[in-house]
Amino acid sequence: SGPAQFVSISGRSEMIYTSNLQGELDNFAIEYKLEDLSQAKAGKYRTKINYLLEGASVGQMHLIDTLELEIDNPPIFDLEITPELGGVIRFTNVTPSRPPQTYEVIFQTKSNIGRQYQLTQDTSSLLTNREGGVMPQNYFTLIEESLKTKGNLKHLNKTEMKAGRTVLFTSDREGSSDQFKVIYELISPKSVQLGDYSTVLTYSLTEI
């Protein structure tokens, strides 16, 4: 007899099978299973498992086989955005009397490379309508909110959106996976040119 369900493997000797009292011949199979490795650091992991046969008498134990294992945990360095923006933020039917419009985006980083990284935002231009009218930058802002974020958020107060590159987030020193929220807000000025306004945003994960 032996374990009837999966058990964790430790660095100590573990009993995997015990014969009946008569020590009769028997057949059995051992199945090994890997749990989710997404939180483990990327790289190759090696170990050896020795199989020892122990008799009824004290000291009657000898090595019968060795299993050499090698596991390759591939690197993960990815970004998920909810909802999917398609690279564009658009505010529709902008009028002077319309209340502020907001656009909430959740960013989830996934990394097991074990090195610190940052998330940057590249804004192609200020908000622009089809006629080429440009929204003054002080009316278009962003602010970040923590979602039990472990890293460092750069804009915990409202920040004017500017064309060009802006760092949104820096991970902790261990480069842990993380998540946070960005709220983009447009306040319509009294002299606004009516219409739809949009800009193209590009997000990049880079090691520091």
Side-chain angles (χ1 to χ4, degrees), residues 105-168:
V105 183
I106 294 176
F107 295 86
Q108 185 172 7
T109 64
K110 297 182 177 181
S111 176
N112 66 357
I113 60 176
R115 293 186 292 275
Q116 195 172 28
Y117 61 90
Q118 66 182 16
L119 174 64
T120 58
Q121 166 187 284
D122 196 345
T123 310
S124 63
S125 65
L126 298 178
L127 284 176
T128 307
N129 63 15
R130 292 182 180 179
E131 291 72 33
V134 177
M135 181 70 63
Q137 69 181 38
N138 56 306
Y139 293 99
F140 183 30
T141 62
L142 71 82
I143 189 171
E144 296 174 315
E145 287 186 5
S146 172
L147 299 175
K148 296 184 178 179
T149 306
K150 297 181 283 290
N152 182 24
L153 298 176
K154 302 296 186 180
H155 305 283
L156 293 174
N157 298 306
K158 282 188 179 182
T159 304
E160 292 180 4
M161 287 282 291
K162 300 178 182 179
R165 183 172 175 271
T166 302
V167 176
L168 296 179

Side-chain angles (χ1 to χ4, degrees), residues 58-203:
V58 177
Q60 191 180 348
M61 178 184 291
H62 63 275
L63 177 68
I64 59 175
D65 205 352
T66 298
L67 175 63
E68 296 189 10
L69 289 177
E70 180 178 287
I71 299 167
D72 187 7
N73 190 25
I76 299 172
F77 197 47
D78 199 13
L79 173 67
E80 290 186 5
I81 301 174
T82 307
E84 289 287 348
L85 298 176
V88 177
I89 282 188
R90 179 176 288 106
F91 296 94
T92 59
N93 301 320
V94 178
T95 64
S97 58
R98 181 159 185 168
Q101 298 185 58
T102 60
Y103 211 109
E104 297 189 2
V105 183
I106 294 176
F107 295 86
Q108 185 172 7
T109 64
K110 297 182 177 181
S111 176
N112 66 357
I113 60 176
R115 293 186 292 275
Q116 195 172 28
Y117 61 90
Q118 66 182 16
L119 174 64
T120 58
Q121 166 187 284
D122 196 345
T123 310
S124 63
S125 65
L126 298 178
L127 284 176
T128 307
N129 63 15
R130 292 182 180 179
E131 291 72 33
V134 177
M135 181 70 63
Q137 69 181 38
N138 56 306
Y139 293 99
F140 183 30
T141 62
L142 71 82
I143 189 171
E144 296 174 315
E145 287 186 5
S146 172
L147 299 175
K148 296 184 178 179
T149 306
K150 297 181 283 290
N152 182 24
L153 298 176
K154 302 296 186 180
H155 305 283
L156 293 174
N157 298 306
K158 282 188 179 182
T159 304
E160 292 180 4
M161 287 282 291
K162 300 178 182 179
R165 183 172 175 271
T166 302
V167 176
L168 296 179
F169 162 83
T170 301
S171 75
D172 60 15
R173 292 186 180 276
E174 291 74 32
S176 305
S177 299
D178 220 331
Q179 62 178 351
F180 63 95
K181 179 190 291 187
V182 175
I183 302 173
Y184 299 95
E185 182 181 66
L186 174 63
I187 298 175
S188 302
K190 295 181 179 180
S191 59
V192 68
Q193 185 178 355
L194 307 184
D196 300 339
Y197 286 78
S198 64
T199 188
V200 175
L201 301 178
T202 304
Y203 300 100

Side-chain angles (χ1 to χ4, degrees), residues 6 9 16 30-34 49 51 67 69:
F6 286 104
I9 297 177
I16 59 174
I30 304 173
E31 182 179 352
Y32 297 97
K33 182 179 72 171
L34 281 174
I49 300 177
Y51 300 100
L67 175 63
L69 289 177

